[in-house]
Amino acid sequence: MSESLAVTERSRLRRLHERGAHDRATIDAILDAQPLCSVGYVMEGKPYVTPTLQWREGDHVYWHGSSASRALRAGKGTEVCLSVSILDGFVLARSGFHHTVNSRSVTLFGTAFVVEDPAEKLARLAAFVNHLFPGRYEGLRPDHPQDLKGTMVLGLPITEGSAKLRSGGPNDEPEDYALPIWAGVVPVSLQIGAPIPDPRNLPGVSVPDHARKPRIG
Amino acid sequence: MSESLAVTERSRLRRLHERGAHDRATIDAILDAQPLCSVGYVMEGKPYVTPTLQWREGDHVYWHGSSASRALRAGKGTEVCLSVSILDGFVLARSGFHHTVNSRSVTLFGTAFVVEDPAEKLARLAAFVNHLFPGRYEGLRPDHPQDLKGTMVLGLPITEGSAKLRSGGPNDEPEDYALPIWAGVVPVSLQIGAPIPDPRNLPGVSVPDHARKPRIG
């Protein structure tokens, strides 16, 4: 793996480039912190965005869905733009113009491919479950072959894209600091709740450690 | 406002349609709960997705950015797909295949327009601040005309799109309920933190009520 992505015409950070990054460590940390992503693609010349979950394995991100999904069919060997974004807080400034958000985001560009080999597909889906809940997959009922057939797994090499990050307090105009206006940050974060057992769990089956906290955030 | 959006070829819910909705009450509630959105558009035949914040006023959603932004320039009078999604929890089933997430999402399609009139632009941006923090805008330093020039506001009529929702526990295969596997839901939610005052706030300026909780979630 190269440590930084090459800067291309579409991944070059034009605005507020001081908040941007092309290094893999920054990009990977954001991908690993937030599974929710938006996959953008073009169908008959029109834009489509599908929310789904992504997971990273090494130099690739993967996502999945039903083989019947038009979004995934359209993604087969076609260009996508995959976006992950995390809202960390609202930045309240002394003017409306300087209000902003603290956030972390990654945008990736590339051609999605379909994971066709059944054994590899199974391995990727197992990795997906274990990515969020380490060790869970091995304790599950093994997948049925027909389930695997109904699931499409797509991959995207992490080769073109960028990260963007903003943190800290407001940046106001110098003269505005003299105004008696409250400024600051209202943090937001993802909270993991206590696991809610299925009422149909068998007696004596206790909550596994992995269910107490998915590996996100 | 009509109470439901007409179902079109691209807004028709093909998969798991029992989880979908075209009624405005459902769509509006999701838009109002989560300002973070992804705007998808096509530029030179390729897909782009930009994360930004949206706010709803009546029958429109709006978003904004720098007039210099290529994403917003591209959105001027061009087709977009705007996507909002909220992750409510991970649903852990007894097989990998039946793992899913509880979530709420909205997908809107349409042609974005630019709010050109300066007075209307100002009114929209004020509404954006007050949408999240009711009453804040009136207490701020008034916007400078040049700030307004540097900001582009885009709007999209809420006319074509759909919502998708999933809640509740796992749905396993009938025979799998006999397995001693823990199943259930791991809830996730957005948490609002305590406001962090800017160290440069003037003495005696206290935290306004609106900063204790943005109107989201």
Side-chain angles (χ1 to χ4, degrees):
Chain A
M1 127 179 178
S2 77
E3 286 179 12
S4 276
L5 303 189
V7 178
T8 66
E9 186 51 28
R10 63 183 170 180
S11 76
R12 182 165 61 86
L13 294 151
R14 287 159 175 80
R15 296 203 52 256
L16 301 172
H17 54 81
E18 71 282 4
R19 297 182 187 168
H22 290 91
D23 68 286
R24 278 292 302 275
T26 301
I27 289 170
D28 290 359
I30 296 169
L31 292 172
D32 293 349
Q34 174 57 278
L36 190 64
C37 75
S38 295
V39 180
Y41 55 98
V42 180
M43 207 161 50
E44 295 174 0
K46 293 182 186 302
Y48 289 81
V49 177
T50 299
T52 188
L53 299 191
Q54 56 80 28
W55 70 100
R56 183 182 70 87
E57 295 185 63
D59 293 340
H60 291 85
V61 287
Y62 295 95
W63 63 100
H64 84 306
S66 161
S67 299
S69 157
R70 63 182 169 154
L72 291 174
R73 279 202 316 269
K76 184 171 173 170
T78 58
E79 291 229 41
V80 298
C81 176
L82 188 146
S83 169
V84 170
S85 47
I86 303 168
L87 186 59
D88 291 320
F90 297 95
V91 181
L92 305 187
R94 293 161 182 86
S95 68
F97 183 71
H98 285 292
H99 277 60
T100 186
V101 289
N102 285 335
S103 64
R104 290 165 286 160
S105 67
V106 162
T107 303
L108 297 176
F109 301 100
T111 302
F113 60 88
V114 177
V115 177
E116 304 274 11
D117 178 68
E120 201 204 327
K121 202 199 270 191
L122 193 62
R124 296 288 74 75
L125 291 169
F128 179 26
V129 171
N130 284 340
H131 179 80
L132 288 166
F133 299 97
R136 180 168 182 83
Y137 189 80
E138 287 71 21
L140 299 173
R141 181 264 282 162
D143 283 306
H144 294 150
Q146 70 269 28
D147 291 346
L148 210 55
K149 272 186 200 162
T151 303
M152 188 179 269
V153 175
L154 285 106
L156 179 71
I158 304 173
T159 48
E160 187 180 1
S162 61
K164 210 158 188 179
L165 303 93
R166 204 269 181 209
S167 60
N171 292 320
D172 273 297
E173 298 301 325
E175 64 273 20
D176 291 341
Y177 286 95
L179 298 169
I181 297 170
W182 188 90
V185 173
V186 179
V188 300
S189 59
L190 212 60
Q191 182 171 37
I192 312 296
I196 303 166
D198 186 343
R200 295 179 68 178
N201 282 343
L202 295 185
V205 172
S206 59
V207 184
D209 281 345
H210 63 237
R212 297 189 191 282
K213 200 180 179 330
R215 205 162 54 176
I216 60 175
Chain B
M1 132 179 175
S2 76
E3 286 178 13
S4 275
L5 303 188
V7 178
T8 66
E9 186 51 29
R10 62 183 170 180
S11 76
R12 183 166 60 85
L13 293 151
R14 286 160 176 80
R15 297 202 52 255
L16 301 172
H17 54 81
E18 71 283 5
R19 297 181 187 168
H22 289 91
D23 69 286
R24 277 291 303 276
T26 301
I27 289 171
D28 291 359
I30 295 169
L31 292 172
D32 293 349
Q34 174 57 278
L36 190 64
C37 75
S38 295
V39 181
Y41 55 98
V42 180
M43 208 161 50
E44 296 174 0
K46 292 181 187 299
Y48 289 81
V49 177
T50 299
T52 188
L53 299 191
Q54 57 81 27
W55 70 101
R56 183 182 70 89
E57 295 185 64
D59 293 341
H60 291 85
V61 286
Y62 295 95
W63 63 101
H64 84 307
S66 162
S67 298
S69 157
R70 64 181 169 154
L72 291 174
R73 279 202 318 269
K76 183 172 175 169
T78 58
E79 290 230 42
V80 298
C81 176
L82 188 146
S83 169
V84 169
S85 46
I86 303 168
L87 186 59
D88 290 321
F90 296 96
V91 182
L92 305 187
R94 292 162 182 86
S95 68
F97 183 72
H98 285 292
H99 277 60
T100 186
V101 289
N102 284 336
S103 64
R104 289 165 286 158
S105 66
V106 162
T107 303
L108 297 176
F109 300 99
T111 301
F113 61 87
V114 176
V115 177
E116 304 274 11
D117 178 67
E120 201 204 327
K121 203 199 271 192
L122 193 62
R124 296 287 75 74
L125 291 170
F128 179 25
V129 171
N130 283 340
H131 178 79
L132 288 166
F133 299 97
R136 179 167 181 82
Y137 189 79
E138 288 70 22
L140 298 174
R141 182 264 282 163
D143 283 304
H144 294 150
Q146 70 269 29
D147 291 345
L148 209 56
K149 271 186 201 163
T151 302
M152 188 178 269
V153 175
L154 284 106
L156 179 72
I158 304 173
T159 49
E160 187 180 1
S162 61
K164 209 156 188 181
L165 303 92
R166 203 269 179 208
S167 60
N171 292 320
D172 274 297
E173 300 300 326
E175 64 272 21
D176 291 341
Y177 286 95
L179 298 170
I181 297 170
W182 188 90
V185 173
V186 178
V188 300
S189 59
L190 212 59
Q191 182 170 37
I192 312 296
I196 303 167
D198 185 344
R200 295 178 68 177
N201 282 343
L202 296 185
V205 172
S206 60
V207 184
D209 281 345
H210 64 236
R212 298 191 191 281
K213 200 178 179 331
R215 205 161 55 174
I216 61 175

